[in-house]
Amino acid sequence: MAADAPHPAFSEYAGESVPQAAPGTAGKDGRLALVFARSDGETRLVRDFARAPFHVSGSLCHTDRTATVYVQSPSGGVAQGDRREVSVTVGPEAHAHVTTGSATKVFSMAHNYAESGVSLSVAPGGHLDYVPEPLILHPDARFYQSTTVDVAPGGSAVVGELVVPGRLARGEAFEFERYYTRTRLRSEGRLLVADDTHIRPGEADPQVPGVLGSDRVFGHLYVVAPTAEEAGLSDAVHRAVADGPATAGATRLPNDAGLLVRATGETADPVRKQLRAGWTVARQQLVGAEAPDRRK
């Protein structure tokens, strides 16, 4: 969403000026565009555009011929007034993996808010793994993220997020002001799934039965495979995540879109482990290879 048309939940912050630098100015209007294509039996990063605070240093190739890009940032985190847009396009028969080099910190805010828009597109026969490192919400953070995933029939995508509600080692938890994530899954322009998560700890405690219970860290994986026989896929992924250090499970998504894995835990590592287990099983069934190694 554009900075001049904030989500209604953030409209109360939109008119607040930012003393350091206004939204949309240099360094606060990040843009990242990546395009992957299949060529000579390999997936290649054929186009990349990065505007601060994004930085890309090319791609790596895994043994299963997946091109991997680690998105970097010299800014240290997301600050008030930041607006970021990410676009990833995967061509026919191409396999790509996009992640971040480290956790993304959303810093404390006294004015305005931060916003991230992510647009992911996969062509027939293509596959995308978009699984960034954890998002850490500092005290008083206000963060809105919109993610749109459009996967053509015959294509697939694994899209993940892990949210840490503060610097837990310092005793912080749920001291951020507002976190809102909006996800839309599409195929050939048709809306398949709409899923929103809105947490405002000052108004409603998320650590209650039916929400997070006693857990603090939460994460999810959307396995988007519009034409896959996802009944067996969902069962296999659920078996992989059901037993482990975090509370997790998998469920089929409506409109034959694929499946969803959700996991919660006391700390990030157990949740990460469960999500990766589900990611590996899903990827094995979809493209015949395990989740890419984390070269970090």
Side-chain angles (χ1 to χ4, degrees):
M1 301 182 83
D4 60 351
H7 188 278
F10 290 79
S11 59
E12 63 182 277
Y13 313 126
E16 299 174 355
S17 61
V18 180
Q20 297 85 355
T25 56
K28 300 191 74 63
D29 187 22
R31 296 289 185 272
L32 175 68
L34 305 174
V35 179
F36 297 89
R38 190 83 167 180
S39 176
D40 299 325
E42 301 281 350
T43 297
R44 304 182 189 279
L45 177 64
V46 297
R47 179 178 181 270
D48 67 277
F49 173 82
R51 185 165 70 193
F54 292 116
H55 177 73
V56 173
S57 299
S59 62
L60 302 172
C61 186
H62 286 273
T63 54
D64 66 346
R65 298 184 178 180
T66 294
T68 292
V69 168
Y70 291 101
V71 180
Q72 301 166 310
S73 173
S75 67
V78 180
Q80 59 190 15
D82 281 3
R83 305 290 187 265
R84 299 185 174 197
E85 290 188 10
V86 175
S87 171
V88 181
T89 301
V90 178
E93 307 303 325
H95 291 179
H97 168 221
V98 178
T99 184
T100 52
S102 61
T104 298
K105 302 172 184 177
V106 183
F107 295 134
S108 301
M109 302 178 186
H111 307 276
N112 213 270
Y113 67 103
E115 179 178 317
S116 175
V118 180
S119 177
L120 311 175
S121 176
V122 183
H127 178 81
L128 171 64
D129 298 290
Y130 184 83
V131 186
E133 288 296 298
L135 183 76
I136 303 175
L137 300 169
H138 285 219
D140 301 316
R142 308 160 172 176
F143 185 68
Y144 172 67
Q145 178 166 276
S146 174
T147 302
T148 299
V149 187
D150 198 325
V151 178
S156 57
V158 177
V159 180
E161 184 175 51
L162 195 159
V163 180
V164 182
R167 293 166 292 184
L168 303 183
R170 298 181 55 167
E172 294 176 4
F174 299 104
E175 296 180 19
F176 59 90
E177 185 166 337
R178 190 189 296 267
Y179 164 80
Y180 197 125
T181 180
R182 174 185 183 272
T183 303
R184 299 293 182 264
L185 308 182
R186 300 178 180 273
S187 184
E188 297 183 304
R190 174 178 170 242
L191 179 64
L192 302 178
V193 175
D195 188 21
D196 291 26
T197 299
H198 187 188
I199 301 177
R200 192 171 189 184
E203 293 184 352
D205 183 6
Q207 290 187 289
V208 295
V211 185
L212 291 177
S214 60
D215 288 337
R216 299 179 295 181
V217 178
F218 57 96
H220 61 255
L221 282 178
Y222 296 96
V223 180
V224 190
T227 55
E229 192 286 294
E230 97 297 345
L233 176 62
S234 177
D235 291 342
V237 172
H238 180 75
R239 287 192 295 270
V241 303
D243 295 321
T247 301
T251 184
R252 294 176 64 179
L253 290 169
N255 298 312
D256 296 324
L259 63 105
L260 169 64
V261 178
R262 291 213 191 271
T264 65
E266 277 289 310
T267 59
D269 284 345
V271 177
R272 189 205 311 268
K273 180 177 180 180
Q274 294 301 93
L275 293 178
R276 186 171 180 84
W279 179 14
T280 290
V281 170
R283 204 170 189 276
Q284 286 172 328
Q285 295 209 18
L286 292 171
V287 300
E290 294 186 354
D293 293 333
R294 298 171 61 238
R295 299 180 181 181
K296 312 176 190 178

